[in-house]
Amino acid sequence: MRNPTSLYIVGLTGGVASGKSTVAELFAELGVPVLDADVAAREVVEPGTAGLARLVDTFGATIIDKHGRLDRRSLRNVVFQDQTARQQLEAILHPLIRQRLLDQLDQIQAAYVILVVPLLVESDFSKLVDRILVIDVPVETQRSRLMQRDACDRTQADAIIASQTERQRRLDAANDVLENSAGPNELKPKVEALHRHYLSLAAERNPG
Ligand SMILES: CC(C)(COP(=O)(O)OP(=O)(O)OC[C@H]1O[C@@H](n2cnc3c(N)ncnc32)[C@H](O)[C@@H]1O)[C@@H](O)C(=O)NCCC(=O)NCCS
Ligand SMILES: Nc1ncnc2c1ncn2[C@@H]1O[C@H](COP(=O)(O)OP(=O)(O)OP(=O)(O)O)[C@@H](O)[C@H]1O
C-alpha cells in the first residue's frame, strides 16, 4: 500500500552522518513540517513503554542505565557488531516507529511533509512516501563527520556505515539527490529550490 494519507510525503534519507538532520532543519525553517524516524525511535522506548520492556526481554537489563532509561550507547555497541542483534532490534522497533509516524502524519495539515528515515531504502518505510530525496556525500566524508560528531573511532564508524545499504543503491532509489559535501552554506539555496519543486508536485497531486 502506498502512502495511506492524502498528504504529499517526501522521504528524506541518506547514510549515517550524511546531513539528514541538517537539511531537515532547513526545510523546517521554511515552515515545512518535519517528522523524523530517529526521534520516533527514541519516543517508543521511553521508560514505561512496551517497546522498552520488549528490548529488556530480548537484550537483558544491562541495556538500561541507572535512571531506568535505555542506554543507547551500550545498545549501539551491540547492534552494530552483530547483525542478528540488529535484526532483532529492528523487528521490535520498526512496527512501533511506523505506527508512531502514521499517528503523527494524521495530525498534519500542510502542502507536504518531510519524513526523515535513515533506513528508507533498506526497509518497508519506502512504501509510506511519494518521493525519495537522498542526501549524498562520499563515504570518506560520512566517516570523518561521524567520527567527529560522535567522538567514535574509525572501526566503530565503519561498522555503522557497513550496516547500511551501499551509496549507489541509495542513489538508484532517489527521485532527487542533494549533494552535501560542500560547506553548509551551499545547502540553503538547494533546499529552497527543492521546496518550490515539492510545493508544485503537491499542488498537482491535491489541486485546490
Ligand atoms: C541503535 C540505537 C539504540 C543507537 O542509538 P543512538 O542514539 O546512538 O543513535 P541514533 O538513534 O541517533 O541513530 C543515529 C544513526 O544511526 C543509524 N542507524 C540507526 N539504527 C540503525 C539500524 N538499525 N541500521 C543501520 N543504521 C542505523 C542511522 O543513520 C541513524 O540516523 C538506535 O539507533 C536504534 O534504536 N536503532 C534501531 C531503530 C532504527 O532502525 N532506527 C532507524 C530509523 S528507521
Ligand atoms: N555541509 C556540511 N559541511 C560540514 N559539516 C556538515 C555539513 N552538513 C552536515 N554537517 C555536519 O556533519 C555531521 C552529520 O550531520 P547530521 O547530524 O545532520 O547528519 P545525519 O544524517 O542526520 O546523521 P545520523 O545518520 O546520525 O542521524 C554533523 O556534525 C553536522 O553538523
Side-chain angles (χ1 to χ4, degrees):
M1 180 178 56
R2 281 201 80 77
N3 176 4
T5 77
S6 60
L7 195 58
Y8 193 85
I9 303 177
V10 177
L12 187 160
T13 193
V16 62
S18 55
K20 298 180 295 295
S21 306
T22 306
V23 172
E25 180 58 35
L26 293 173
F27 278 101
E29 283 172 18
L30 294 172
V32 182
V34 174
L35 297 181
D36 188 330
D38 280 340
V39 175
R42 285 183 165 73
E43 291 167 347
V44 299
V45 296
E46 286 288 320
T49 56
L52 187 58
R54 288 194 58 197
L55 292 190
V56 171
D57 284 346
T58 305
F59 297 103
T62 53
I63 60 159
I64 302 296
D65 70 16
K66 59 178 192 272
H67 306 292
R69 306 188 71 84
L70 178 64
D71 181 346
R72 303 183 69 84
R73 188 159 273 267
S74 132
L75 189 57
R76 183 180 173 133
N77 289 337
V78 174
V79 299
F80 291 119
Q81 285 167 33
D82 177 347
Q83 191 185 347
T84 306
R86 196 171 65 253
Q87 285 166 347
Q88 286 176 305
L89 176 67
E90 291 173 3
I92 295 169
L93 293 191
H94 284 192
L96 298 172
I97 296 170
R98 185 176 191 281
Q99 191 53 53
R100 180 140 198 115
L101 292 173
L102 285 173
D103 292 345
Q104 291 173 336
L105 284 166
D106 261 354
Q107 309 295 316
I108 291 178
Q109 287 193 339
Y112 75 96
V113 59
I114 294 284
L115 186 62
V116 184
V117 184
L119 304 181
L120 190 65
V121 173
E122 292 92 328
S123 73
D124 274 359
F125 284 102
S126 57
K127 293 184 183 152
L128 289 178
V129 308
D130 295 288
R131 201 168 176 88
I132 295 181
L133 166 61
V134 167
I135 313 306
D136 183 55
V137 292
V139 172
E140 307 76 62
T141 309
Q142 234 185 313
R143 183 190 293 120
S144 61
R145 287 185 186 165
L146 179 57
M147 288 168 63
Q148 189 167 11
R149 189 196 60 190
D150 290 2
C152 64
D153 65 27
R154 189 188 167 104
T155 308
Q156 291 166 321
D158 282 344
I160 302 180
I161 292 170
S163 75
Q164 302 185 339
T165 199
E166 283 170 18
R167 182 183 182 193
Q168 190 55 50
R169 200 172 145 234
R170 211 180 276 116
L171 289 171
D172 289 344
N175 299 107
D176 308 300
V177 177
L178 198 166
E179 211 277 321
N180 185 30
S181 43
N185 294 341
E186 315 263 320
L187 284 175
K188 209 170 174 180
K190 293 183 187 173
V191 169
E192 283 167 355
L194 285 166
H195 177 55
R196 286 190 293 275
H197 187 42
Y198 295 149
L199 284 175
S200 71
L201 288 172
E204 262 171 43
R205 234 274 299 275
N206 293 323

